Amino acid sequence: MSKKIDVAAVAPNIGTLYPPPFDEPCLSRERRKLGDAAGLTQFGANLLRLPPGAWSSQRHWQTESDEFVYVLSGEVTLVTDAGEEILRPGDCAGFKAGDPDGHCLQNRTDRDATVLEVGTRIATDGAHYSDIDMVSPPGGKPVPYTRRDGTPYPNLGRRSRPA
Amino acid sequence: MSKKIDVAAVAPNIGTLYPPPFDEPCLSRERRKLGDAAGLTQFGANLLRLPPGAWSSQRHWQTESDEFVYVLSGEVTLVTDAGEEILRPGDCAGFKAGDPDGHCLQNRTDRDATVLEVGTRIATDGAHYSDIDMVSPPGGKPVPYTRRDGTPYPNLGRRSRPA
Protein backbone atom coordinates (compact mmCIF):
# COMPACT_ATOMS: atom_id res chain seq x y z
CA MET A 1 0.00 0.00 0.00
CA SER A 2 1.34 3.38 -0.97
CA LYS A 3 2.02 5.80 1.85
CA LYS A 4 2.13 8.68 -0.59
CA ILE A 5 -1.15 10.57 -0.47
CA ASP A 6 -3.01 10.51 -3.78
CA VAL A 7 -3.65 14.25 -3.81
CA ALA A 8 -5.61 14.18 -7.06
CA ALA A 9 -8.00 11.66 -5.53
CA VAL A 10 -8.78 13.85 -2.52
CA ALA A 11 -12.07 15.56 -3.34
CA PRO A 12 -12.01 19.26 -2.46
CA ASN A 13 -14.47 20.93 -0.15
CA ILE A 14 -15.62 23.92 -2.15
CA GLY A 15 -17.17 26.97 -0.53
CA THR A 16 -18.01 27.72 3.06
CA LEU A 17 -20.47 27.25 5.90
CA TYR A 18 -20.49 31.00 6.62
CA PRO A 19 -23.95 32.53 6.58
CA PRO A 20 -24.62 35.14 3.89
CA PRO A 21 -23.41 37.74 3.22
CA PHE A 22 -20.14 36.63 4.87
CA ASP A 23 -19.91 33.60 2.58
CA GLU A 24 -19.39 35.74 -0.52
CA PRO A 25 -15.55 35.96 -0.66
CA CYS A 26 -15.17 32.26 0.24
CA LEU A 27 -17.66 30.67 -2.17
CA SER A 28 -14.97 29.52 -4.63
CA ARG A 29 -12.40 28.51 -2.01
CA GLU A 30 -11.23 24.91 -2.38
CA ARG A 31 -9.76 22.89 0.44
CA ARG A 32 -8.30 19.38 0.13
CA LYS A 33 -7.86 17.72 3.51
CA LEU A 34 -4.55 15.94 2.93
CA GLY A 35 -3.89 15.04 6.55
CA ASP A 36 -7.31 13.49 6.88
CA ALA A 37 -6.57 11.41 3.77
CA ALA A 38 -3.66 9.87 5.68
CA GLY A 39 -5.79 9.24 8.77
CA LEU A 40 -4.30 12.05 10.83
CA THR A 41 -6.49 13.45 13.59
CA GLN A 42 -4.32 15.77 15.72
CA PHE A 43 -4.04 18.54 13.15
CA GLY A 44 -5.49 19.42 9.80
CA ALA A 45 -3.08 19.77 6.87
CA ASN A 46 -5.00 21.19 3.95
CA LEU A 47 -4.15 22.14 0.41
CA LEU A 48 -6.01 25.39 -0.07
CA ARG A 49 -6.68 26.71 -3.57
CA LEU A 50 -7.79 30.32 -3.85
CA PRO A 51 -9.08 31.28 -7.29
CA PRO A 52 -8.80 34.97 -8.20
CA GLY A 53 -10.81 37.03 -5.73
CA ALA A 54 -11.18 34.28 -3.14
CA TRP A 55 -10.30 34.60 0.53
CA SER A 56 -9.06 31.83 2.84
CA SER A 57 -11.62 32.95 5.42
CA GLN A 58 -13.15 36.00 6.94
CA ARG A 59 -10.52 37.67 9.12
CA HIS A 60 -10.51 35.72 12.38
CA TRP A 61 -8.48 34.27 15.22
CA GLN A 62 -8.83 30.86 16.85
CA THR A 63 -9.26 30.65 20.60
CA GLU A 64 -7.40 27.38 21.18
CA SER A 65 -5.73 26.17 17.98
CA ASP A 66 -2.40 27.23 16.52
CA GLU A 67 -2.40 27.83 12.77
CA PHE A 68 0.34 27.93 10.13
CA VAL A 69 0.24 28.78 6.42
CA TYR A 70 2.89 28.26 3.73
CA VAL A 71 2.39 29.66 0.23
CA LEU A 72 3.05 27.13 -2.53
CA SER A 73 2.10 29.06 -5.65
CA GLY A 74 0.66 32.39 -6.69
CA GLU A 75 0.41 35.39 -4.43
CA VAL A 76 -1.86 36.23 -1.52
CA THR A 77 -2.38 39.27 0.66
CA LEU A 78 -2.20 38.55 4.37
CA VAL A 79 -4.43 40.93 6.31
CA THR A 80 -3.86 41.37 10.04
CA ASP A 81 -3.87 44.21 12.58
CA ALA A 82 -0.34 44.89 11.30
CA GLY A 83 -1.80 45.84 7.93
CA GLU A 84 -1.35 44.07 4.61
CA GLU A 85 1.58 41.95 3.49
CA ILE A 86 2.15 40.13 0.21
CA LEU A 87 3.03 36.45 0.57
CA ARG A 88 4.63 34.59 -2.33
CA PRO A 89 5.84 31.00 -2.74
CA GLY A 90 8.09 30.12 0.19
CA ASP A 91 6.56 32.78 2.42
CA CYS A 92 4.78 31.67 5.55
CA ALA A 93 3.11 32.87 8.72
CA GLY A 94 1.92 31.44 12.01
CA PHE A 95 -0.98 32.44 14.22
CA LYS A 96 -0.81 31.55 17.89
CA ALA A 97 -4.00 30.32 19.55
CA GLY A 98 -5.66 33.05 21.56
CA ASP A 99 -3.76 35.94 19.96
CA PRO A 100 -6.61 38.37 19.20
CA ASP A 101 -5.03 39.60 15.94
CA GLY A 102 -7.33 38.31 13.23
CA HIS A 103 -5.90 37.14 9.92
CA CYS A 104 -7.00 36.06 6.47
CA LEU A 105 -5.42 35.48 3.07
CA GLN A 106 -6.93 37.23 0.06
CA ASN A 107 -6.12 36.44 -3.54
CA ARG A 108 -6.23 39.82 -5.26
CA THR A 109 -4.48 38.60 -8.40
CA ASP A 110 -5.86 37.15 -11.63
CA ARG A 111 -4.45 33.66 -11.16
CA ASP A 112 -4.84 30.86 -8.64
CA ALA A 113 -2.89 30.75 -5.42
CA THR A 114 -2.25 27.58 -3.43
CA VAL A 115 -1.38 27.43 0.23
CA LEU A 116 -0.62 24.62 2.63
CA GLU A 117 -2.46 25.37 5.86
CA VAL A 118 -2.08 23.57 9.16
CA GLY A 119 -4.17 23.90 12.30
CA THR A 120 -4.38 21.92 15.49
CA ARG A 121 -7.63 20.04 16.06
CA ILE A 122 -8.99 20.97 19.45
CA ALA A 123 -12.57 19.98 20.23
CA THR A 124 -13.41 23.11 22.21
CA ASP A 125 -11.83 25.51 19.72
CA GLY A 126 -13.77 28.56 18.63
CA ALA A 127 -13.15 31.63 16.49
CA HIS A 128 -13.67 35.37 16.69
CA TYR A 129 -14.15 37.37 13.49
CA SER A 130 -12.39 40.72 13.50
CA ASP A 131 -14.35 42.73 10.95
CA ILE A 132 -17.88 41.33 11.12
CA ASP A 133 -20.47 40.58 13.78
CA MET A 134 -19.75 36.86 13.90
CA VAL A 135 -18.35 34.32 16.34
CA SER A 136 -17.82 30.57 16.10
CA PRO A 137 -18.65 29.30 19.59
CA PRO A 138 -16.52 26.64 21.34
CA GLY A 139 -16.78 23.38 19.43
CA GLY A 140 -19.12 25.04 16.94
CA LYS A 141 -22.03 24.37 19.31
CA PRO A 142 -24.93 24.72 19.44
CA VAL A 143 -24.57 26.26 15.98
CA PRO A 144 -21.49 26.95 13.86
CA TYR A 145 -21.91 30.74 13.88
CA THR A 146 -23.58 33.36 16.04
CA ARG A 147 -23.58 37.11 16.38
CA ARG A 148 -21.30 38.48 19.08
CA ASP A 149 -24.32 38.71 21.38
CA GLY A 150 -24.87 34.96 20.94
CA THR A 151 -27.83 35.17 18.54
CA PRO A 152 -27.51 32.19 16.17
CA TYR A 153 -27.14 32.72 12.45
CA PRO A 154 -29.23 30.36 10.34
CA ASN A 155 -27.25 27.24 9.44
CA LEU A 156 -27.71 26.93 5.68
CA GLY A 157 -25.00 24.32 5.18
CA ARG A 158 -22.20 24.56 2.66
CA ARG A 159 -22.55 27.25 0.04
CA SER A 160 -20.30 27.34 -3.00
CA ARG A 161 -19.77 28.86 -6.42
CA PRO A 162 -16.92 26.97 -8.13
CA ALA A 163 -14.48 29.19 -10.01
CA MET B 1 5.19 44.33 13.01
CA SER B 2 5.28 41.90 10.12
CA LYS B 3 3.37 38.66 10.57
CA LYS B 4 5.25 37.09 7.68
CA ILE B 5 8.00 34.85 9.01
CA ASP B 6 11.48 35.97 8.00
CA VAL B 7 12.56 32.54 6.81
CA ALA B 8 16.08 33.66 5.91
CA ALA B 9 16.57 34.90 9.47
CA VAL B 10 15.64 31.57 11.03
CA ALA B 11 18.94 29.87 11.83
CA PRO B 12 18.92 26.20 10.84
CA ASN B 13 19.62 23.36 13.20
CA ILE B 14 22.21 21.33 11.34
CA GLY B 15 22.87 17.69 12.10
CA THR B 16 21.39 15.38 14.70
CA LEU B 17 21.45 14.24 18.31
CA TYR B 18 21.60 10.59 17.23
CA PRO B 19 24.52 8.71 18.73
CA PRO B 20 27.10 7.39 16.26
CA PRO B 21 27.00 5.50 13.98
CA PHE B 22 23.30 6.34 13.52
CA ASP B 23 24.06 10.04 13.12
CA GLU B 24 25.93 9.48 9.84
CA PRO B 25 23.10 9.95 7.27
CA CYS B 26 21.67 12.94 9.18
CA LEU B 27 24.84 14.99 9.78
CA SER B 28 24.13 17.45 6.96
CA ARG B 29 20.37 17.67 7.53
CA GLU B 30 19.15 21.22 8.04
CA ARG B 31 15.94 22.10 9.84
CA ARG B 32 14.47 25.59 10.20
CA LYS B 33 11.77 25.75 12.85
CA LEU B 34 9.33 28.10 11.15
CA GLY B 35 6.42 27.49 13.51
CA ASP B 36 8.62 28.22 16.51
CA ALA B 37 9.66 31.49 14.85
CA ALA B 38 6.00 32.52 14.95
CA GLY B 39 5.60 31.48 18.59
CA LEU B 40 3.62 28.33 17.86
CA THR B 41 3.80 25.59 20.46
CA GLN B 42 1.17 22.97 19.57
CA PHE B 43 2.98 21.60 16.54
CA GLY B 44 6.32 21.97 14.85
CA ALA B 45 6.34 23.25 11.26
CA ASN B 46 9.85 22.90 9.92
CA LEU B 47 11.54 23.65 6.65
CA LEU B 48 13.79 20.64 6.13
CA ARG B 49 16.68 20.81 3.68
CA LEU B 50 18.25 17.53 2.69
CA PRO B 51 21.53 17.89 0.80
CA PRO B 52 22.46 15.02 -1.52
CA GLY B 53 22.79 11.81 0.51
CA ALA B 54 21.03 13.15 3.60
CA TRP B 55 18.13 11.48 5.37
CA SER B 56 15.32 13.18 7.27
CA SER B 57 15.84 10.72 10.12
CA GLN B 58 16.54 7.12 10.82
CA ARG B 59 13.44 5.12 9.94
CA HIS B 60 11.10 5.52 12.90
CA TRP B 61 7.54 5.96 14.12
CA GLN B 62 6.27 8.28 16.84
CA THR B 63 4.24 6.84 19.69
CA GLU B 64 1.94 9.83 20.29
CA SER B 65 2.46 12.49 17.63
CA ASP B 66 0.96 12.66 14.15
CA GLU B 67 3.40 13.67 11.40
CA PHE B 68 2.95 15.11 7.90
CA VAL B 69 5.47 15.87 5.15
CA TYR B 70 5.03 17.87 1.92
CA VAL B 71 7.81 18.00 -0.67
CA LEU B 72 8.63 21.52 -1.85
CA SER B 73 11.60 20.94 -4.14
CA GLY B 74 13.86 18.15 -5.32
CA GLU B 75 13.11 14.49 -4.90
CA VAL B 76 13.18 12.17 -1.91
CA THR B 77 12.69 8.47 -1.41
CA LEU B 78 10.13 7.60 1.24
CA VAL B 79 11.02 4.32 2.93
CA THR B 80 8.33 2.46 4.87
CA ASP B 81 7.20 -1.15 5.37
CA ALA B 82 5.38 -0.68 2.05
CA GLY B 83 8.75 -0.34 0.33
CA GLU B 84 10.20 2.68 -1.42
CA GLU B 85 8.32 5.50 -3.12
CA ILE B 86 9.63 8.59 -4.89
CA LEU B 87 8.15 11.87 -3.66
CA ARG B 88 8.44 14.98 -5.82
CA PRO B 89 7.21 18.55 -5.34
CA GLY B 90 3.53 18.48 -4.42
CA ASP B 91 3.72 14.93 -3.10
CA CYS B 92 2.97 14.37 0.56
CA ALA B 93 2.47 11.70 3.20
CA GLY B 94 1.12 11.43 6.72
CA PHE B 95 2.13 9.17 9.57
CA LYS B 96 -0.42 8.48 12.27
CA ALA B 97 0.80 8.40 15.86
CA GLY B 98 1.25 4.85 17.10
CA ASP B 99 1.24 3.23 13.65
CA PRO B 100 4.27 0.92 13.90
CA ASP B 101 5.28 1.41 10.26
CA GLY B 102 8.52 3.35 10.41
CA HIS B 103 9.30 5.99 7.83
CA CYS B 104 12.13 8.20 6.65
CA LEU B 105 12.93 10.39 3.66
CA GLN B 106 16.24 9.83 1.87
CA ASN B 107 17.74 12.16 -0.71
CA ARG B 108 19.42 9.83 -3.18
CA THR B 109 19.82 12.52 -5.84
CA ASP B 110 22.68 14.93 -6.54
CA ARG B 111 20.75 18.08 -5.64
CA ASP B 112 19.05 19.49 -2.58
CA ALA B 113 15.54 18.55 -1.59
CA THR B 114 13.33 20.66 0.65
CA VAL B 115 10.36 19.42 2.62
CA LEU B 116 7.84 21.05 4.90
CA GLU B 117 7.37 18.76 7.88
CA VAL B 118 4.74 19.06 10.59
CA GLY B 119 4.44 17.12 13.82
CA THR B 120 2.31 17.55 16.91
CA ARG B 121 4.17 18.51 20.07
CA ILE B 122 3.23 16.04 22.79
CA ALA B 123 5.35 16.06 25.94
CA THR B 124 5.24 12.29 26.47
CA ASP B 125 5.96 11.41 22.84
CA GLY B 126 8.60 8.83 22.05
CA ALA B 127 9.93 7.07 18.97
CA HIS B 128 10.79 3.56 17.86
CA TYR B 129 13.45 3.02 15.22
CA SER B 130 12.61 0.29 12.74
CA ASP B 131 16.01 -0.76 11.44
CA ILE B 132 18.40 -0.12 14.31
CA ASP B 133 18.64 -0.96 18.00
CA MET B 134 17.42 2.44 19.17
CA VAL B 135 14.43 3.93 20.98
CA SER B 136 13.59 7.46 22.06
CA PRO B 137 11.87 7.03 25.43
CA PRO B 138 8.73 9.01 26.36
CA GLY B 139 9.61 12.68 26.61
CA GLY B 140 13.23 11.86 25.73
CA LYS B 141 13.88 11.04 29.39
CA PRO B 142 16.07 10.20 31.15
CA VAL B 143 18.19 10.32 27.96
CA PRO B 144 17.25 11.07 24.34
CA TYR B 145 18.13 7.61 23.05
CA THR B 146 18.48 4.10 24.42
CA ARG B 147 18.86 0.60 23.10
CA ARG B 148 15.64 -1.39 22.91
CA ASP B 149 16.57 -3.02 26.23
CA GLY B 150 16.69 0.43 27.84
CA THR B 151 20.46 0.78 27.98
CA PRO B 152 21.24 4.48 27.45
CA TYR B 153 23.35 5.62 24.53
CA PRO B 154 25.91 8.28 25.41
CA ASN B 155 24.45 11.75 24.89
CA LEU B 156 27.08 13.51 22.79
CA GLY B 157 24.89 16.46 21.87
CA ARG B 158 24.35 17.75 18.36
CA ARG B 159 26.66 16.37 15.71
CA SER B 160 26.87 17.90 12.27
CA ARG B 161 28.82 18.05 9.03
CA PRO B 162 27.41 20.88 6.91
CA ALA B 163 27.04 20.05 3.25
Side-chain angles (χ1 to χ4, degrees), chain B residues 114-135:
Chain B
T114 59
V115 176
L116 191 68
E117 56 176 16
V118 178
T120 322
R121 294 260 171 80
I122 295 182
T124 51
D125 190 35
H128 293 264
Y129 292 82
S130 309
D131 305 323
I132 57 178
D133 183 12
M134 191 165 82
V135 171

mmCIF file of all heavy atoms in Angstrom, chain B residues 114-135:
data_model
loop_
_atom_site.group_PDB
_atom_site.id
_atom_site.type_symbol
_atom_site.label_atom_id
_atom_site.label_comp_id
_atom_site.label_asym_id
_atom_site.label_seq_id
_atom_site.Cartn_x
_atom_site.Cartn_y
_atom_site.Cartn_z
ATOM 1 N N THR B 114 13.894 19.970 -0.502
ATOM 2 C CA THR B 114 13.330 20.660 0.650
ATOM 3 C C THR B 114 11.919 20.129 0.902
ATOM 4 O O THR B 114 11.172 19.805 -0.037
ATOM 5 C CB THR B 114 13.291 22.195 0.477
ATOM 6 O OG1 THR B 114 12.522 22.514 -0.671
ATOM 7 C CG2 THR B 114 14.678 22.760 0.348
ATOM 8 N N VAL B 115 11.597 20.050 2.168
ATOM 9 C CA VAL B 115 10.357 19.424 2.617
ATOM 10 C C VAL B 115 9.793 20.257 3.758
ATOM 11 O O VAL B 115 10.545 20.691 4.633
ATOM 12 C CB VAL B 115 10.635 17.985 3.126
ATOM 13 C CG1 VAL B 115 9.380 17.343 3.684
ATOM 14 C CG2 VAL B 115 11.260 17.129 2.034
ATOM 15 N N LEU B 116 8.490 20.477 3.732
ATOM 16 C CA LEU B 116 7.836 21.051 4.898
ATOM 17 C C LEU B 116 7.349 19.891 5.756
ATOM 18 O O LEU B 116 6.636 19.003 5.258
ATOM 19 C CB LEU B 116 6.667 21.941 4.480
ATOM 20 C CG LEU B 116 6.075 22.789 5.597
ATOM 21 C CD1 LEU B 116 7.074 23.868 6.042
ATOM 22 C CD2 LEU B 116 4.780 23.447 5.155
ATOM 23 N N GLU B 117 7.758 19.867 7.004
ATOM 24 C CA GLU B 117 7.373 18.761 7.879
ATOM 25 C C GLU B 117 6.647 19.309 9.096
ATOM 26 O O GLU B 117 7.041 20.329 9.661
ATOM 27 C CB GLU B 117 8.583 17.910 8.286
ATOM 28 C CG GLU B 117 9.681 18.705 8.938
ATOM 29 C CD GLU B 117 10.856 17.877 9.440
ATOM 30 O OE1 GLU B 117 11.010 16.707 9.058
ATOM 31 O OE2 GLU B 117 11.624 18.431 10.255
ATOM 32 N N VAL B 118 5.584 18.633 9.467
ATOM 33 C CA VAL B 118 4.743 19.062 10.587
ATOM 34 C C VAL B 118 4.583 17.891 11.553
ATOM 35 O O VAL B 118 4.380 16.751 11.120
ATOM 36 C CB VAL B 118 3.349 19.501 10.088
ATOM 37 C CG1 VAL B 118 2.448 19.905 11.255
ATOM 38 C CG2 VAL B 118 3.469 20.641 9.087
ATOM 39 N N GLY B 119 4.669 18.167 12.826
ATOM 40 C CA GLY B 119 4.437 17.123 13.823
ATOM 41 C C GLY B 119 3.872 17.730 15.086
ATOM 42 O O GLY B 119 4.311 18.809 15.517
ATOM 43 N N THR B 120 2.903 17.061 15.670
ATOM 44 C CA THR B 120 2.307 17.547 16.908
ATOM 45 C C THR B 120 3.343 17.492 18.027
ATOM 46 O O THR B 120 4.150 16.576 18.099
ATOM 47 C CB THR B 120 1.101 16.676 17.295
ATOM 48 O OG1 THR B 120 0.394 16.303 16.117
ATOM 49 C CG2 THR B 120 0.158 17.430 18.218
ATOM 50 N N ARG B 121 3.296 18.488 18.900
ATOM 51 C CA ARG B 121 4.172 18.509 20.074
ATOM 52 C C ARG B 121 3.424 17.886 21.241
ATOM 53 O O ARG B 121 2.458 18.482 21.753
ATOM 54 C CB ARG B 121 4.551 19.941 20.416
ATOM 55 C CG ARG B 121 5.419 20.615 19.370
ATOM 56 C CD ARG B 121 6.886 20.592 19.782
ATOM 57 N NE ARG B 121 7.749 21.048 18.692
ATOM 58 C CZ ARG B 121 7.958 22.337 18.379
ATOM 59 N NH1 ARG B 121 7.383 23.297 19.090
ATOM 60 N NH2 ARG B 121 8.765 22.664 17.389
ATOM 61 N N ILE B 122 3.857 16.718 21.657
ATOM 62 C CA ILE B 122 3.232 16.041 22.789
ATOM 63 C C ILE B 122 4.349 15.650 23.751
ATOM 64 O O ILE B 122 5.310 14.967 23.356
ATOM 65 C CB ILE B 122 2.422 14.818 22.306
ATOM 66 C CG1 ILE B 122 1.246 15.325 21.441
ATOM 67 C CG2 ILE B 122 1.933 13.972 23.471
ATOM 68 C CD1 ILE B 122 0.319 14.255 20.932
ATOM 69 N N ALA B 123 4.221 16.118 24.996
ATOM 70 C CA ALA B 123 5.347 16.055 25.940
ATOM 71 C C ALA B 123 5.810 14.633 26.201
ATOM 72 O O ALA B 123 6.995 14.391 26.456
ATOM 73 C CB ALA B 123 4.968 16.737 27.251
ATOM 74 N N THR B 124 4.890 13.673 26.135
ATOM 75 C CA THR B 124 5.245 12.294 26.472
ATOM 76 C C THR B 124 5.537 11.456 25.230
ATOM 77 O O THR B 124 5.622 10.229 25.305
ATOM 78 C CB THR B 124 4.101 11.646 27.274
ATOM 79 O OG1 THR B 124 2.872 11.860 26.541
ATOM 80 C CG2 THR B 124 3.978 12.284 28.648
ATOM 81 N N ASP B 125 5.699 12.126 24.090
ATOM 82 C CA ASP B 125 5.960 11.413 22.842
ATOM 83 C C ASP B 125 7.307 10.686 22.898
ATOM 84 O O ASP B 125 8.257 11.158 23.529
ATOM 85 C CB ASP B 125 5.977 12.421 21.689
ATOM 86 C CG ASP B 125 6.007 11.746 20.335
ATOM 87 O OD1 ASP B 125 5.388 10.675 20.170
ATOM 88 O OD2 ASP B 125 6.647 12.298 19.420
ATOM 89 N N GLY B 126 7.359 9.574 22.219
ATOM 90 C CA GLY B 126 8.601 8.828 22.051
ATOM 91 C C GLY B 126 8.680 8.301 20.632
ATOM 92 O O GLY B 126 7.785 8.546 19.820
ATOM 93 N N ALA B 127 9.774 7.591 20.330
ATOM 94 C CA ALA B 127 9.927 7.067 18.971
ATOM 95 C C ALA B 127 10.592 5.694 19.007
ATOM 96 O O ALA B 127 11.453 5.426 19.855
ATOM 97 C CB ALA B 127 10.753 8.024 18.121
ATOM 98 N N HIS B 128 10.147 4.858 18.081
ATOM 99 C CA HIS B 128 10.787 3.561 17.863
ATOM 100 C C HIS B 128 11.464 3.574 16.509
ATOM 101 O O HIS B 128 10.885 4.074 15.532
ATOM 102 C CB HIS B 128 9.739 2.442 17.934
ATOM 103 C CG HIS B 128 9.155 2.251 19.300
ATOM 104 N ND1 HIS B 128 9.619 1.305 20.187
ATOM 105 C CD2 HIS B 128 8.173 2.916 19.948
ATOM 106 C CE1 HIS B 128 8.927 1.372 21.310
ATOM 107 N NE2 HIS B 128 8.031 2.353 21.202
ATOM 108 N N TYR B 129 12.659 3.030 16.454
ATOM 109 C CA TYR B 129 13.446 3.019 15.217
ATOM 110 C C TYR B 129 13.402 1.617 14.620
ATOM 111 O O TYR B 129 13.718 0.636 15.293
ATOM 112 C CB TYR B 129 14.862 3.516 15.502
ATOM 113 C CG TYR B 129 14.809 4.994 15.857
ATOM 114 C CD1 TYR B 129 14.497 5.414 17.150
ATOM 115 C CD2 TYR B 129 14.953 5.952 14.865
ATOM 116 C CE1 TYR B 129 14.372 6.765 17.454
ATOM 117 C CE2 TYR B 129 14.826 7.305 15.173
ATOM 118 C CZ TYR B 129 14.534 7.700 16.463
ATOM 119 O OH TYR B 129 14.387 9.038 16.748
ATOM 120 N N SER B 130 12.981 1.554 13.354
ATOM 121 C CA SER B 130 12.610 0.286 12.741
ATOM 122 C C SER B 130 13.806 -0.607 12.428
ATOM 123 O O SER B 130 13.707 -1.828 12.521
ATOM 124 C CB SER B 130 11.851 0.553 11.439
ATOM 125 O OG SER B 130 10.801 1.465 11.654
ATOM 126 N N ASP B 131 14.924 0.018 12.027
ATOM 127 C CA ASP B 131 16.011 -0.760 11.437
ATOM 128 C C ASP B 131 17.249 -0.845 12.307
ATOM 129 O O ASP B 131 18.236 -1.476 11.921
ATOM 130 C CB ASP B 131 16.401 -0.147 10.081
ATOM 131 C CG ASP B 131 15.217 -0.029 9.140
ATOM 132 O OD1 ASP B 131 14.359 -0.927 9.153
ATOM 133 O OD2 ASP B 131 15.164 0.973 8.386
ATOM 134 N N ILE B 132 17.215 -0.179 13.446
ATOM 135 C CA ILE B 132 18.396 -0.124 14.307
ATOM 136 C C ILE B 132 17.969 -0.323 15.756
ATOM 137 O O ILE B 132 16.797 -0.158 16.095
ATOM 138 C CB ILE B 132 19.144 1.227 14.168
ATOM 139 C CG1 ILE B 132 18.203 2.396 14.488
ATOM 140 C CG2 ILE B 132 19.729 1.376 12.765
ATOM 141 C CD1 ILE B 132 18.855 3.773 14.419
ATOM 142 N N ASP B 133 18.924 -0.688 16.589
ATOM 143 C CA ASP B 133 18.640 -0.959 18.001
ATOM 144 C C ASP B 133 18.600 0.370 18.769
ATOM 145 O O ASP B 133 19.507 0.687 19.543
ATOM 146 C CB ASP B 133 19.710 -1.899 18.575
ATOM 147 C CG ASP B 133 19.424 -2.272 20.021
ATOM 148 O OD1 ASP B 133 18.304 -1.992 20.506
ATOM 149 O OD2 ASP B 133 20.337 -2.833 20.665
ATOM 150 N N MET B 134 17.521 1.131 18.529
ATOM 151 C CA MET B 134 17.424 2.443 19.168
ATOM 152 C C MET B 134 15.964 2.788 19.430
ATOM 153 O O MET B 134 15.074 2.439 18.648
ATOM 154 C CB MET B 134 18.074 3.522 18.292
ATOM 155 C CG MET B 134 18.254 4.862 19.007
ATOM 156 S SD MET B 134 19.390 5.993 18.127
ATOM 157 C CE MET B 134 18.301 6.702 16.912
ATOM 158 N N VAL B 135 15.755 3.468 20.552
ATOM 159 C CA VAL B 135 14.431 3.925 20.979
ATOM 160 C C VAL B 135 14.614 5.326 21.554
ATOM 161 O O VAL B 135 15.630 5.619 22.176
ATOM 162 C CB VAL B 135 13.857 2.982 22.083
ATOM 163 C CG1 VAL B 135 12.591 3.567 22.697
ATOM 164 C CG2 VAL B 135 13.608 1.596 21.530
#
